[in-house]
Amino acid sequence: MLHVFHGAGYERERVYAARVMFEEFLGLEIALHAGQEAGWRIVRGEEEDGKELRLADVLFRTPQGEWLTEKAMPSRPVPRWHTGGHPVKAPLVAPDVPVLYGEEVPNGGYLAVWDGGLQIGADLLGGAFWMLTRYEEIVRKERDVRGRYPAFASLAVQEHFYERPVVNEYLEILWWALRALWPDLERKKRRFTPRLSHDVDWPLMGAGRPFFQTVKRAAGDALRRRSAQAAVRRLGGWWRAAAHGDYDGDPYNTFDHLMEWSEQQGLRSAFYLIADHSGAGEVDGDYSLEEPWVRRLMRRIKERGHEIGLHPSYETYRDPRRLRREFDRLRLVCAEEGIEQERWGGRQHFLRWEAPGTWQAWEEAGLDYDSTLSFAERPGFRCGVCYEYPVFNLLTGEELKLRERPLIVMEQTVLHRQYLGLDPWEAWVLIDRLRTRCRLFDGEFSMLWHNSQLVDQGETDLYRRLVETM
């Protein structure tokens, strides 16, 4: 067992940070001891063997009056620990590791080594806590037109480390230091895990819509989105449904393809469904869980061994009661169709999420995991990690049962003109780079691809290639 000694103050926050890093991520048994330590101190066993690891303790020494204020935020520019000149043998995205909180050790730099001990000047536990809890999103009030915390306000984007899972890097440095002192330690075994999910905003492209609306949208395909192919397919889907009741030919009805491609790789897809409508117009799609076609789809998803989850409607991210009603409705419909699951998760519509209230609402609704956290404008590591983890409510100081499964890539982020607007080859390069970084840490690569984003052949080929190389 490792004994972790720490200073006074922020007891619940310290317990969470240490528990997640040592127990949840590394699988090590620890005992925590509060006292008057100047930093984190780790020793092994009941009787100390003369070896110890010391870590800087900066964030949790913040005065209470400055907690959750700009004064507690990392300084800019964020310092870099250039590990290439030190004996740090850990998998890292790059040797210059961002130090969110830290203090240089007496001999300069962020590492001191002596007989029987190591001292690291980077506050690995405090920095990880800051990223995992989305601390900055409570402190800073910037919001975009949809009420979301925008990527440009994120420190990780501003300081150019959003595409690296810095918490995983902190974890690997911590593990290197522990093994340098106690080589017989063993950590939790992990393996790279792709997680494919599909938000069902529009299950059908043309079927079931009024003809004039279909024509209007087809014109938008051709003129605004510059895809004559999509316009033709939209009109064709409407005609087949109207004339022959054939929904199979609808361009958005790609569910069987999505399941088949996942199954060929031994993967399981998750389909997140909208259970009710709270936004204006058609912002929450135009379908109902009461429709026979939708019910048949749900049964088919479950029969093939895939997952059904919740895609809460537009206004739910600040409305716990509405969110709970929608989850209850989804479970009721599933029960009526004989669908049972051990775990229930999903993702907020339009990635509308607010710290920590949305997490708390999911907890109170009884959901098991959320997979919302990525920025709509940028793919990458909003939480700084590619592992699923238990979340923490910064306002109540409580660890929740709810787990976050960070979203690394949403296809619309890289493909849509309003965001990065990359072509399929450029998108492949970016997505594969992020996937490779998840592989580096035996992490979880969570990717969202809408069923409606398989109309263009280039984008379809891109998705299939990504799945086939998982």
Side-chain angles (χ1 to χ4, degrees):
M1 176 184 286
L2 295 177
H3 291 262
V4 180
F5 296 85
H6 61 80
Y10 302 104
E11 179 71 18
R12 290 186 291 184
E13 289 77 4
R14 290 178 183 275
V15 168
Y16 171 78
R19 199 194 73 73
V20 170
M21 292 290 275
F22 285 98
E23 296 183 343
E24 176 77 25
F25 290 164
L26 291 176
L28 301 175
E29 186 179 2
I30 63 170
L32 283 158
H33 307 275
Q36 300 301 317
E37 299 282 339
W40 296 89
R41 184 168 67 91
I42 298 99
V43 300
R44 187 180 185 188
E46 296 280 342
E47 298 180 4
E48 298 184 17
D49 57 6
K51 297 179 180 179
E52 67 176 24
L53 170 62
R54 288 187 172 273
L55 306 175
D57 179 17
V58 177
L59 175 61
F60 298 128
R61 294 209 313 264
T62 300
Q64 286 287 345
E66 297 178 1
W67 187 251
L68 292 178
T69 71
E70 281 287 347
K71 292 182 178 179
M73 295 284 281
S75 60
R76 294 193 64 194
V78 172
R80 301 285 176 134
W81 175 8
H82 297 280
T83 61
H86 299 293
V88 178
K89 294 181 172 57
L92 302 171
V93 172
D96 60 329
V97 179
V99 179
L100 294 173
Y101 296 95
E103 49 196 12
E104 293 191 348
V105 297
N107 66 338
Y110 290 100
L111 178 66
V113 182
W114 68 92
D115 187 25
L118 285 171
Q119 182 177 359
I120 293 176
D123 184 358
L124 302 180
L125 299 183
F129 177 89
W130 189 85
M131 288 294 299
L132 296 174
T133 59
R134 305 311 304 134
Y135 193 104
E136 68 177 337
E137 300 190 29
I138 294 179
V139 174
R140 294 185 171 158
K141 306 306 178 186
E142 294 94 332
R143 297 294 184 266
D144 68 11
V145 295
R146 295 198 181 277
R148 304 172 298 198
Y149 187 73
F152 74 79
S154 166
L155 182 70
V157 172
Q158 294 170 354
E159 293 286 326
H160 309 292
F161 63 87
Y162 183 59
E163 289 188 16
R164 58 192 296 178
V166 68
V167 174
N168 288 96
E169 295 183 286
Y170 286 0
L171 186 72
E172 295 304 322
I173 293 172
L174 175 61
W175 177 241
W176 164 79
L178 292 170
R179 283 294 299 272
L181 296 173
W182 302 289
D184 61 325
L185 282 177
E186 294 186 3
R187 68 188 289 181
K188 178 192 293 187
K189 301 293 184 185
R190 290 184 178 271
R191 63 188 180 93
F192 173 71
T193 304
R195 295 196 180 277
L196 305 179
S197 58
H198 317 283
D199 293 354
V200 184
D201 298 337
W202 306 96
L204 298 170
M205 187 187 212
R209 299 178 186 275
F211 179 65
F212 77 87
Q213 186 184 87
T214 303
V215 171
K216 181 179 178 180
R217 291 184 178 225
D221 292 330
L223 301 176
R224 189 169 63 254
R225 291 177 284 277
R226 300 179 183 177
S227 176
Q229 181 186 52
V232 171
R233 295 188 68 184
R234 186 185 296 275
L235 291 170
W238 182 90
W239 171 252
R240 283 190 294 272
H244 307 291
D246 175 17
Y247 288 3
D248 292 341
D250 189 278
Y252 285 0
N253 184 8
T254 59
F255 301 99
D256 287 330
H257 293 308
L258 290 168
M259 289 187 280
E260 179 183 353
W261 297 334
S262 289
E263 290 160 6
Q264 289 172 350
Q265 305 304 316
L267 302 175
R268 182 171 178 246
S269 278
F271 296 87
Y272 301 144
L273 300 170
I274 295 173
D276 204 350
H277 304 79
S278 63
E282 294 184 345
V283 72
D284 291 316
D286 64 349
Y287 68 97
S288 166
L289 296 185
E290 300 304 322
E291 295 176 35
W293 187 87
V294 174
R295 296 245 182 164
R296 288 196 299 272
L297 171 64
M298 294 171 68
R299 292 196 300 271
R300 194 160 74 249
I301 290 169
K302 192 56 184 174
E303 287 165 1
R304 294 183 65 159
H306 299 274
E307 178 187 349
I308 291 172
L310 180 67
H311 196 36
S313 64
Y314 193 77
E315 298 293 352
T316 56
Y317 81 121
R318 288 179 175 173
D319 192 336
R321 291 183 179 179
R322 183 184 291 274
L323 190 148
R324 183 167 195 156
R325 285 199 304 269
E326 293 185 10
F327 181 43
D328 288 344
R329 185 160 185 256
L330 175 66
R331 285 190 299 179
L332 175 62
V333 171
C334 284
E336 291 172 351
E337 297 300 327
I339 298 170
E340 297 180 358
Q341 293 183 165
E342 290 186 5
R343 298 187 77 204
W344 294 91
R347 178 178 299 113
Q348 285 292 139
H349 195 28
F350 281 91
L351 305 185
R352 297 185 96 203
W353 183 91
E354 189 168 75
T358 310
W359 271 343
Q360 188 66 46
W362 281 60
E363 170 92 350
E364 293 171 0
L367 285 142
D368 297 296
Y369 76 86
D370 167 63
S371 188
T372 299
L373 287 187
S374 183
F375 290 120
E377 314 97 300
R378 292 283 296 273
F381 302 93
R382 181 170 174 177
C383 302
V385 73
C386 56
Y387 296 158
E388 180 181 304
Y389 66 95
V391 304
F392 187 88
N393 186 326
L394 276 166
L395 298 184
T396 64
E398 295 178 338
E399 178 179 334
L400 307 183
K401 294 179 182 178
L402 180 74
R403 300 176 70 83
E404 179 62 32
R405 183 178 292 175
L407 175 62
I408 310 303
V409 175
M410 174 175 70
E411 95 283 34
Q412 293 181 356
T413 300
V414 297
L415 296 172
H416 273 210
R417 294 175 182 273
Q418 71 201 78
Y419 298 130
L420 297 184
L422 305 181
D423 64 36
W425 170 247
E426 294 170 328
W428 163 268
V429 171
L430 174 54
I431 295 172
D432 188 54
R433 180 168 70 243
L434 295 172
R435 178 172 59 174
T436 298
R437 291 179 180 177
C438 293
R439 284 187 188 275
L440 178 64
F441 303 105
D442 294 321
E444 301 173 8
F445 177 67
S446 177
M447 182 171 69
L448 158 60
W449 206 281
H450 293 77
N451 62 287
S452 53
Q453 197 71 45
L454 294 168
V455 176
D456 180 85
Q457 190 61 47
E459 294 173 0
T460 301
D461 292 343
L462 169 62
Y463 180 72
R464 288 199 65 178
R465 184 183 177 198
L466 286 165
V467 175
E468 290 169 356
T469 54
M470 287 296 181

